[in-house]
Each structure stands twice: as C-alpha cells, then as structure tokens.
Amino acid sequence: MSNKTDSNIYTIIFAIIMVFIVGALLAFTASSLAPKISENQRIEKQQNILYAMGINNNDESSAIFVSTEQAPEDFSKYIKEQIVITVDADGKILKTQTGDEYVAENNKEPYLIDIKKQKSNAAAGEPRQLPLFIGEKDGKTYYVAPIYGKGLWDAIWGFISMDKDMVVQGAYFDHKGETPGLGANIKERFFMDDFYGEHLLTEAGVFKGIDVAKGNADPKNEDKTDNQVDAIAGATITGNGVTAMIKSDLKLYKPYFDNLKNN
C-alpha cells in the first residue's frame, strides 16, 4: 500500500502550509525591522544634508560622513528650520509650512519625502512638495535642497547647499548602479568639490543651473560664473543626468529665493 505522504494532495497541502509559514515569518521580520530601517534612512539623509553643508569628516581626498552616532546631534545643532514648499504643476508656490520633526509616518518629516514620487506627481499635473533645510554654520545661512534624477543605469540623487543668492556652498551626489570608475565617480570628492562656489543664476538673475560639460574650457574650475563644471571622462550620460536634475529640481526653488531677497 502506498504511503499517504506520496500522494499529490499531501504535497499540495504541505506546500500551502509552508507558504503560509514562510509568508508569516517574512511579514513578522519586515514588521520588526521597519523601525530600524526608518531610523537608518533618517540618519543617512541627515548625514547627506550635513555633508552638503560642509559638516563632515573628510580627509585630504575622501568623502567621509559624520558618524551615525554623531549625525542626529549635529543635525539638531546646525539645522535651524525645515520647511516644505508646495508648488503646482507649473512650479508656482502654493504654500510653505514648517516641517514637524520626526513624524515620518505622516510624511511631515521633510528629508523622508519621496522626491521621485513628488516628481511623478508634478508630471501628472498634481501639486509637488519641495523640502528645504535651513542651516547655520559659522554665522552663515545655508539652504539645502534634495534633487533626484536618472543616470546611465538607474537612479541618481543628491543634496545641494546654497546661499540666498543661489550660489552653491556644497554638494553631495549618490547613485544606485552607475559604472564603477566612471559614472559612480559622481560621489567622489574631485567631482563634488567642483560645485562649490558655482552660480545657479546668470548675472541677470535668470536661473540657468550647472552643466556637467565635456570640453569645458575651464578644467581647473576657476570661473564660478560660467554655469559649468568639468565632466567625468567616460561618464557622459551620468553627467547629463546630474545636469538635468540640477536644472529641473533647483529651478523650482527660485521663487522662494526671490521672495527671500524681496522681504
């Protein structure tokens, strides 16, 4: 007589039970790790924002964040205000509200706003939220904005620190899957440091952004009013992605800075 465990019905029932058990274990693990994942995301964004402000542990050549233990303390020390600027699909400011600290589940924690989703909202004709972090260091005010775009293979993003005249005071870039030694170099200091002092506006006050330019006539990056930085060799598409996200995302902040200077 054949063993009951050899039947197809037994196999199906066993498979169903295992699916439920494994699914329950995965759901429990995800639920248990969710607070830790959220905390890590919060600290990482704080490190990125601080880096763009020049608050880091850089050595002579490497980009080094403040530690994960130090980041929350430094963030509270240097970031004086967090705001969310809401614009319509045409970039017109609808409202500005103070961001409530550490309320990520209600999407009121500005550095956890999904920038990719906000860009999709704008493409669909819906309002878009623009986080802005206002910091102070050595008596100087910094305005730090997140940017998001597309590289050669996948997403690229960053934070740009500006003064009230939209002159860059620091930059941090990162990527999901750019080519090592080529596009991945957008997160290296030799590239990021070039943005310091670059003007986002023309002399006439028109927003122009910054081009990551091949054949830039200023390879030492001494001219900070040409709206250009030198491109990374062999990384044209990634560089174009950096150019595009700077122009598309930071342009939306210009009305805020215009109001700032007029008040």
Side-chain angles (χ1 to χ4, degrees), residues 53-67:
M53 278 186 62
I55 301 165
N56 50 58
N57 293 329
N58 286 354
D59 58 23
E60 291 184 359
S61 60
S62 302
I64 304 172
F65 294 131
V66 296
S67 68

Side-chain angles (χ1 to χ4, degrees), residues 168-185:
V168 176
Q169 303 301 303
Y172 177 74
F173 300 114
D174 207 342
H175 65 92
K176 186 174 182 180
E178 298 307 284
T179 307
L182 297 174
N185 283 344

